[in-house]
Amino acid sequence: MLVRMNYKYEMFPNEEQMETMNCWLSICRHQYNSALLDKQRFYQKNKTGLSRHALQKKQTKDKQRFKFLKTMPSQPLQEVFFRLEKAYKNFFEGRTRYPKLKKHKDYTSMTFTQFGVDKRKIKNKKTGDVNVQDVRYAASLDENNHLLISKLGAVYVNFHRPLEGKVKQVTIKRQSNRWFAIFSVERHVNETVDFPVQSTGVDVGIQKFAVLSDGSNVENPRFLLKAEKTLKRAQKKLSRMKQGSNNWKKQRQNVQQLHIKVANQRRDFLHKRSYHLAKTYKFVFVEDLKIQNMVKNRHLAKSIHDAGWGAFCRKLEYKCRNNGGALIRIKPHYTSQDCSSCGKRVKKALSVRTHVCQSCGVVLDRDHNAAINIEKIGLDLLGLSPTL
Ligand SMILES: [Zn+2]
């Protein structure tokens, strides 16, 4: 099975390259913003949309007039319109708000949609002979394993883990004052895998990060809680400083660094946990929570946001798939109320942390009881439930 996945590495451009990339990002941003305005004007006048194709054509024309557009590779410049198209699609399908003009801090990446060296047939017009030639795209790896970008040069990339599979595209991203290369690759994965356990149900924990149907749980690591606390303190300190002062600038930098650190630690934690689950269970059942709706509930808001449950499920989903298993979302239906042992409904408020069934006598942690129910519903859905 062929799957698409991302690998992210830090890259180390020199001063000049950094300046160039910052400049390219700002060109991309201006293209994005002016295309957005063009679309709006076009719609007001003609009551119909301006297509990506039309924007592309205009850009080609603009290149003759505005020479600065030629100072950067054309692929990331064209890719801008794909982003805009996606932003509109997300809006029309109700996932996001109407696309806005991007500010400097919101536009931090550019994508090279082709990568490496490819064979291409080239026909000699005079003789009609067809020759196969190597074509190097605007982004590729050179013989020293440096990222080679046309009009920029070679940049050292710290490949802290091996890049596996065929690279299809690369995105260059600025985060605070650091630069990252995100490679999107296609990989073959093994389809026949032995799983130690067939299935599990997983429930979002309130105190724990998640609870499994065998009663085990996934906890938020201490170091992460500590790092988050440090970040909050640093933010508070920043807010008390005089804006624009040297100390304020220093502290702002400090806060940004901490932000990245916490985000990295959190991502690392989510990756490790989801990887472990995907290796262990063939089917992982979770509730299909509309996170947006749940966040409205004040009690749950904090824990769900902090725990990054949505991000966890997304990681778990593709890891299961890549490993030959599946993450299956089930409709939440009294999963925390019903008794997982006898099926009787035991109504309880959110503050009640233990499930006590008067009818069969079972006593379970609330989330554990829910996780068992989730697994049961899931197995039933797949026609795998043990027949009684
Ligand atoms: Zn019961």
Side-chain angles (χ1 to χ4, degrees):
M1 189 175 35
L2 208 56
V3 294
R4 192 83 178 239
M5 55 208 298
N6 286 340
Y7 288 88
K8 184 177 179 182
Y9 305 99
E10 182 156 13
M11 54 194 275
F12 296 89
N14 61 33
E15 286 289 327
E16 198 185 326
Q17 288 171 328
M18 250 187 263
E19 207 176 294
T20 306
M21 290 195 294
N22 274 321
C23 177
W24 290 358
L25 278 177
S26 105
I27 295 176
C28 286
R29 181 169 69 90
H30 283 119
Q31 284 289 301
Y32 183 96
N33 285 343
S34 68
L36 177 59
L37 293 173
D38 282 344
K39 269 172 99 78
Q40 289 170 354
R41 276 192 291 261
F42 189 85
Y43 183 80
Q44 274 169 7
K45 216 167 135 192
N46 306 297
K47 295 289 162 233
T48 171
L50 187 61
S51 70
R52 178 164 55 79
H53 187 70
L55 288 166
Q56 206 97 70
K57 259 187 160 168
K58 182 170 178 289
Q59 189 181 69
T60 311
K61 254 191 215 158
D62 285 348
K63 273 187 172 179
Q64 302 308 320
R65 281 203 297 158
F66 307 111
K67 295 296 177 206
F68 68 89
L69 288 174
K70 286 187 171 174
T71 58
M72 67 174 291
S74 52
Q75 271 183 17
L77 206 52
Q78 288 173 13
E79 198 267 343
V80 166
F81 302 137
F82 278 97
R83 293 185 185 203
L84 190 59
E85 190 176 57
K86 201 169 161 195
Y88 268 90
K89 190 161 182 274
N90 282 338
F91 165 67
F92 283 124
E93 290 172 10
R95 283 186 292 272
T96 53
R97 292 178 188 208
Y98 186 77
K100 274 196 302 195
L101 292 176
K102 297 266 192 200
K103 293 183 181 141
H104 171 81
K105 66 173 173 49
D106 303 321
Y107 208 98
T108 57
S109 73
M110 53 191 158
T111 300
F112 293 78
T113 47
Q114 282 172 309
F115 189 87
V117 180
D118 234 353
K119 301 261 181 239
R120 195 181 286 166
K121 282 183 191 162
I122 292 175
K123 196 174 174 180
N124 188 320
K125 276 179 190 157
K126 278 183 194 155
T127 60
D129 292 344
V130 177
N131 275 319
V132 178
Q133 268 185 10
D134 281 345
V135 178
R136 188 178 279 277
Y137 292 121
S140 60
L141 289 178
D142 70 4
E143 62 279 9
N144 301 319
N145 237 15
H146 289 156
L147 181 58
L148 188 63
I149 304 278
S150 86
K151 298 179 184 178
L152 183 76
V155 185
Y156 171 75
V157 177
N158 177 15
F159 287 102
H160 63 281
R161 60 176 177 144
L163 175 63
E164 292 168 314
K166 183 168 171 36
V167 179
K168 303 304 277 185
Q169 63 175 41
V170 66
T171 296
I172 291 176
K173 190 170 172 62
R174 179 185 65 208
Q175 275 183 300
S176 178
N177 53 358
R178 292 162 75 185
W179 293 84
F180 295 88
I182 301 154
F183 295 89
S184 173
V185 308
E186 247 176 23
R187 267 184 73 182
H188 281 283
V189 291
N190 203 347
E191 266 175 282
T192 49
V193 193
D194 283 329
F195 292 91
V197 188
Q198 189 196 241
S199 66
T200 187
V202 187
D203 191 26
V204 205
I206 301 292
Q207 274 121 21
K208 309 276 195 277
F209 179 77
V211 181
L212 273 59
S213 51
D214 65 0
S216 64
N217 51 57
V218 179
E219 284 197 60
N220 261 315
R222 289 255 146 245
F223 65 83
L224 198 52
L225 301 175
K226 218 173 123 188
E228 278 166 354
K229 225 184 216 169
T230 315
L231 173 62
K232 259 179 215 141
R233 222 176 297 133
Q235 275 168 333
K236 216 175 213 172
K237 196 171 160 194
L238 177 69
S239 69
R240 282 195 301 259
M241 285 175 161
K242 186 167 177 276
Q243 241 190 56
S245 69
N246 277 338
N247 278 335
W248 179 81
K249 279 180 193 154
K250 238 186 247 164
Q251 184 63 9
R252 189 179 57 168
Q253 185 83 326
N254 190 7
V255 167
Q256 283 175 343
Q257 293 294 345
L258 280 170
H259 246 304
I260 294 174
K261 192 177 161 197
V262 170
N264 284 344
Q265 284 186 339
R266 173 159 292 290
R267 194 175 49 238
D268 195 50
F269 159 71
L270 294 178
H271 267 306
K272 280 183 181 143
R273 291 302 150 176
S274 52
Y275 178 77
H276 173 72
L277 287 182
K279 279 273 175 207
T280 312
Y281 304 97
K282 181 165 186 184
F283 299 115
V284 180
F285 304 111
V286 296
E287 280 185 321
D288 188 7
L289 301 174
K290 292 276 174 279
I291 300 291
Q292 281 310 326
N293 291 341
M294 289 203 72
V295 169
K296 283 181 193 142
N297 181 333
R298 296 299 301 166
H299 287 292
L300 288 177
K302 197 179 150 20
S303 58
I304 291 210
H305 262 318
D306 285 0
W309 180 251
F312 179 69
C313 285
R314 282 192 297 279
K315 285 187 171 57
L316 188 55
E317 190 164 24
Y318 77 72
K319 283 196 166 74
C320 285
R321 196 170 57 227
N322 289 355
N323 199 45
L327 174 97
I328 294 159
R329 294 171 207 268
I330 60 131
K331 242 191 220 157
H333 190 70
Y334 295 104
T335 40
S336 60
Q337 309 289 330
D338 288 357
C339 176
S340 60
S341 172
C342 69
K344 194 163 167 60
R345 189 153 299 166
V346 186
K347 288 238 164 117
K348 44 184 151 332
L350 194 67
S351 56
V352 180
R353 301 306 313 155
T354 312
H355 166 82
V356 183
C357 180
Q358 303 293 348
S359 151
C360 72
V362 81
V363 178
L364 281 171
D365 169 71
R366 175 199 178 97
D367 298 331
H368 182 193
N369 179 58
I372 298 174
N373 282 329
I374 290 169
E375 185 181 10
K376 274 189 175 171
I377 296 173
L379 288 173
D380 197 49
L381 198 73
L382 296 183
L384 293 171
S385 59
T387 42
L388 292 168

